[in-house]
Amino acid sequence: YSKSLHNKEDLSMAYKIGDACISCGACADECPVECISAGDDIYVINPDECIECGACNSVCPVEAPQQD
């Protein structure tokens, strides 16, 4: 019996930083794959590089990163 595997796009639950972001940078410092960077107003996560570990959310003081 063989399970069919889905593409990452099909199962993607990458994190996205919401409007609650206060641009403190804690998430970027904590990200093990360095996929978070400063955007124009808030930090942004590159969904193609996000490994969905949740480290960003665990250190965010306002819980801005959420699974998309």
Side-chain angles (χ1 to χ4, degrees):
Y1 173 76
S2 174
K3 280 187 176 181
S4 65
L5 299 176
H6 297 278
N7 292 332
K8 184 177 179 184
E9 292 82 23
D10 294 339
L11 301 173
S12 182
M13 292 296 289
Y15 279 76
K16 181 177 180 180
I17 297 178
D19 293 338
C21 178
I22 58 173
S23 296
C24 68
C27 57
D29 292 341
E30 190 68 17
C31 181
V33 294
E34 300 178 353
C35 71
I36 304 173
S37 59
D40 291 336
D41 298 320
I42 62 175
Y43 275 71
V44 293
I45 298 174
N46 180 333
D48 294 330
E49 296 177 5
C50 178
I51 60 170
E52 305 160 22
C53 67
C56 56
N57 188 285
S58 67
V59 297
C60 179
V62 295
E63 297 180 358
Q66 298 292 321
Q67 284 189 307
D68 194 17

